[in-house]
Amino acid sequence: MLFPFLNEPIADCPAKASSVIRGDNYRFTILTDRLIRIEWDEENRFEERPTRMVANRDFPSPSFVVTEDSGKLEIRTDYFELHYRKGSFSPYSLSIDILGAYSNHDNTWRFGSIPETLKGTKETLDRVNGSVELDEGVCSKRGYAILDDSVSPLIREDGWIEPRRQGVTDIYYFGYGHDYRACIRDFYRLTGAPPFLPRFSLGNWWSRYYAYTQDEYKALMTRFLAQDLPFTVSVLDMDWHITKVKERYGRGWTGYTWNRELFPDPGAFLFWLHEHGFKVTLNLHPADGIKAYEKPYKNMANALGIDTKKEDPIPFDISDRNFMAAYFKYLHHPLEEEGVDFWWLDWQSGGLSFAEGFDPLWMLNHYHSLDSGRKGKRPLIFSRYSGPGSHRYPVGFSGDTHITWESLRFQPYFTATASNIGYTFWSHDIGGHMRGIKDPELMVRWLQFGVFSPINRLHSSSSPFTSKEPWNYGESAEKAMGIFLRLRHSLIPYLYTMSRRCTVEYKPLIEPMYYSHPESSEAYTHGNQYWLGSEMLVVPVTEKSSAVTLKAPVEAWLPPGKWLDFFSGLVYHGGKTIRLWRGLNEAPVFIKEGGIIPLAILKPGSNSTENPETLKLIVFPVAPGRFTLYEDEGEGNDWKTGRFAETIITWETGEDGGRLSVEPAGDISVLPAKRTYCLVFKGVCRDSGKGACHFISSGIDEIIYGRYCENTRSLELRLPELGGGQSFVLECPPFEEANAFSGLEKRFFAALHEMSIPFDQKDTLYRLVREAAAKGFNGDEGKYNLTSLIVSLQTMVADKDVLSVLTEIICA
């Protein structure tokens, strides 16, 4: 094999013969009862090989009915009817009707048309200030979508690619109606599952386009650790290599040689970063090839038969297999031996190469991803989106956006919507890259979005004024940034479990709201909120705070049910749209009924991503819940052979109280030898803390009393230290939920205290709520008191923002 990462032939991926209907120049393959492949080939040479887009066609044969005569063919499943008048495909000869009332007039797809979908994603947000038009995805309110694979190159047995012959048709019809989760599940089955990311990639990334010296960078990382700002990935932009070159060599945009003026001892530098818990990625712009001043130039030239005495540049030729083999062997592998963990492929040079059909960006992504996994590592690159199928090459770099509220406002929608084409691991320049103005609040809100998104990477330009260190933004913002950076790191157990679920169960890490509520119009109109994993609903703040209330607004749609505010512990009743207001240290994040969130608790100053010795479990106990925490060694592929542990966490409720059981199973050798659990029952009233909890485990049977936290409406219990794989049960008294009226006076006072309104008005409003609270809000009389309070507020408060803040406090 030409490449060391291709140690076995690439197999064809044909569908089952029972799913295929073939005739003169055409072939239909019914992959599922909602997914059909449609092919036309004048030479009747239909392809079974994998393509740039498609990795698997071996689906179980579904049930379908074929009706055929000499001139017509019809295929019917429970979900669609295909009509074909034999002959060349055209809008008149080939159509598919979706079965279901998804539209009054758009239920038929005709050959050649491109259905409108709920959109997918875009290659880049480079230099974007605000929004851009997105490409199509495979989820549609109309119920059907098209994926065109006609021009995708083929992947040969030897792993190299072969451009498609012209004139063939190879398209896939997705007719999943509004079952978007099933649609994406089968999209992943067709195109390949997203790889399982290494654990470290889900922490915080530090990135900056800046010419650091070796000592400056080490000092910065040391300061981060000293201030308990946990970063796990060090991203070195292009100044790691030589950039200032002699005129005869052109420019230093591309480079593979360490800049020894900045990094006099690269090996020691990389060793130091690893010793302190940082993984390292280096930036590449490979388009300019290899110049004679480069350290690996001689080896590359000899391998390719180029005369080194002439110092001719070696052009970057993605279409040349020999070049690509040498490209990895001499340019990248030696640097990886020094300690580089993965590569940032910052391709910005278009889609053309020396040969038609060889798209440089996709080929870089494809082969770098394969190469990154060649020694038993999990594939990982950092690069741009290169079209459908790119989810196989995470992580995605969205490009250099402007530092504006407009850019932030677009990114939550952009990130969630990308799941409609399976692309669930976008990484943005958190805080923005360039232009704009300094705005500490914008930085904090952007960071909050990053914390509750797939990848959190702070980045900025080389300007000395745009760097994202928290201490650059003033005391309040610095405090908030520290809170959220630490929170992101503590979320790794949850995010890692959800990342594995993505790979194994074909469920995107991030999902638009219409995946769970496809028939609710609000799910489509609130595009900036999304599911993060199975338990969390995230509503990023993308507006500035009110100068009067000192809080920022965001409109949220809470589906039917009860929702726990992750930060305040308040219980919100869903089935409505509500205007939320949050201070700088809070973000609107909600946990579903019965939701369970595992968090890592580390010692201050630690950036470890190992399976934690202390694990906090946040439980929203108003309904039964179950969460299976996944843990393994974090980087290798032993998980594929069963070397992992799954801890089943179950919360059961009854009239006499609740019962929490925690049962580790599987290969518990991956767990720490000892583990301490901290349980947090959130969204409960103070009275819930009066009852004792009964703790039962192997050799332990005792009563445990919790500590109640008023600010977060939580009952917290710290359990005895256990063996890492030890099970336990905790029997709890009944919990009373912390609804809008729990601590109403205190919350009302706190909101009024911050507002810039006349003191007399504050006194009057506070007196009003105290009087109403004294009467109570229970029963019919309580409803009357509540209505009277709201009417009084509407009468007395002219400022809409003030009224909205106070109304949320009362009506959550």
Side-chain angles (χ1 to χ4, degrees), residues 616-751:
K616 177 187 285 189
L617 301 178
I618 295 178
V619 182
F620 182 24
V622 298
R626 179 186 174 96
F627 187 88
T628 301
L629 172 66
Y630 175 88
E631 295 173 280
D632 61 20
E633 50 78 40
E635 290 189 55
N637 286 310
D638 286 349
W639 68 278
K640 293 182 178 180
T641 57
R643 191 161 187 265
F644 61 85
E646 292 185 303
T647 301
I648 301 170
I649 307 162
T650 306
W651 170 249
E652 301 171 292
T653 59
E655 293 182 1
D656 298 329
R659 183 179 187 272
L660 183 79
S661 62
V662 174
E663 303 175 79
D667 188 345
I668 62 173
S669 69
V670 303
L671 302 180
K674 298 290 183 181
R675 174 163 277 176
T676 300
Y677 289 88
C678 176
L679 302 183
V680 182
F681 294 99
K682 210 158 190 175
V684 300
C685 291
R686 173 174 287 279
D687 288 346
S688 302
K690 293 181 179 178
C693 295
H694 186 195
F695 176 75
I696 307 166
S697 186
S698 176
I700 308 174
D701 188 329
E702 63 182 73
I703 302 299
I704 296 180
Y705 291 89
R707 180 180 64 87
Y708 187 77
C709 177
E710 193 77 47
N711 291 335
T712 60
R713 294 156 187 85
S714 303
L715 177 65
E716 302 180 3
L717 303 97
R718 190 175 182 89
L719 304 185
E721 184 181 79
L722 303 173
Q726 192 169 340
S727 301
F728 69 86
V729 170
L730 189 73
E731 296 174 345
C732 305
F735 290 135
E736 181 183 349
E737 75 176 48
N739 58 32
F741 308 124
S742 306
L744 177 63
E745 291 180 49
K746 284 188 176 181
R747 290 184 289 115
F748 213 86
F749 177 86

Side-chain angles (χ1 to χ4, degrees), residues 305-325:
I306 294 174
D307 186 354
T308 59
K309 294 180 181 178
K310 295 181 179 180
E311 292 195 343
D312 290 335
I314 304 171
F316 176 79
D317 188 358
I318 197 83
S319 64
D320 184 335
R321 288 195 296 171
N322 292 318
F323 172 84
M324 289 301 295

Side-chain angles (χ1 to χ4, degrees), residues 120-125 132-135 385 398 414 418 423 426:
T121 193
K122 200 75 174 176
E123 179 181 315
T124 183
L125 296 179
V132 295
E133 183 68 21
L134 302 182
D135 298 334
Y385 176 78
S398 68
F414 176 84
Y423 203 70
W426 269 122

